[in-house]
Amino acid sequence: MNKAWQLLRLASPQLPIGGYSYSQGLELAVDSGLVHDPESAACWIRDQLLLNLARFEAPLLLAHCEAAARDDWHELKALAERHRASRETREQHLESRQMGYSLQQLLDDLPEQDDAARALLAELEGPGLAVTWALAARAWSIAPQEALSAWLWGWLENQLAVLMKTLPLGQQAAQRLTSALLPCLEQAQCDASEIPPSRWGSAAFGLALASMAHERQYSRLFRS
């Protein structure tokens, strides 16, 4: 079987986990005027990629995928707890938990998931997206680096979809933004792959504030 099929499956917006229901703070940034045109949008996304995701979210996700690939259930459980503790706002916690629940339900209904993975998920209280993503990659024989690529691509694609719904941004403009941001996506993956666990961490205060304010935003297109 062509290995690309499973990778495309994992990265697809058709994966029924609800990822496109959330803006991850971007809707609030648009509403407040921080993001108001393609240039400011590129700045917001670039900063999130290189100053936040590449320093913590991405290396932590990669570690999940690596632990799952070698069937290290003890390490995977510890990483899942660390990921859950790192959710800074109620919105971020609920997003990870809802998407993790949806992906768990999907995996439980598929023959590729084995009993060892099911047992781990049964032990976790509200498994988040990172651990279920790693188990999906394991079930579909997707290498950890490729699973990280799929996650980063899905994140970028979601941010661009948010912009098309909240800004006067058309599909061609979104594709131009994609071309401009792909080098940052590549850099984020490289940085995430090289940073040691002792240096994992970011201080995304703006993102946390945007997430908290989004919960109280008067009118929203995206879930909070």
Side-chain angles (χ1 to χ4, degrees), residues 3 21-22 31 113 139 143 155 204:
K3 292 183 178 180
S21 301
Y22 297 93
D31 186 69
Q113 184 82 310
W155 181 89

Side-chain angles (χ1 to χ4, degrees), residues 49-50 149 152 181-193:
L49 275 171
L50 299 180
S149 296
L152 285 169
L181 290 167
L182 279 178
C184 296
L185 204 67
E186 181 74 13
Q187 186 63 52
Q189 175 149 9
C190 290
D191 291 349
S193 303

Side-chain angles (χ1 to χ4, degrees), residues 141-201:
S141 301
I142 298 171
Q145 282 289 347
E146 292 179 339
L148 175 59
S149 296
W151 181 78
L152 285 169
W153 172 255
W155 181 89
L156 176 61
E157 197 172 38
N158 178 52
Q159 292 288 279
L160 294 172
V162 172
L163 292 172
M164 285 190 286
K165 293 176 182 178
T166 55
L167 280 181
L169 188 78
Q171 292 182 337
Q172 290 186 345
Q175 286 300 315
R176 287 194 294 271
L177 262 181
T178 302
S179 294
L181 290 167
L182 279 178
C184 296
L185 204 67
E186 181 74 13
Q187 186 63 52
Q189 175 149 9
C190 290
D191 291 349
S193 303
E194 296 173 359
I195 187 170
S198 61
R199 294 182 56 197
W200 290 354

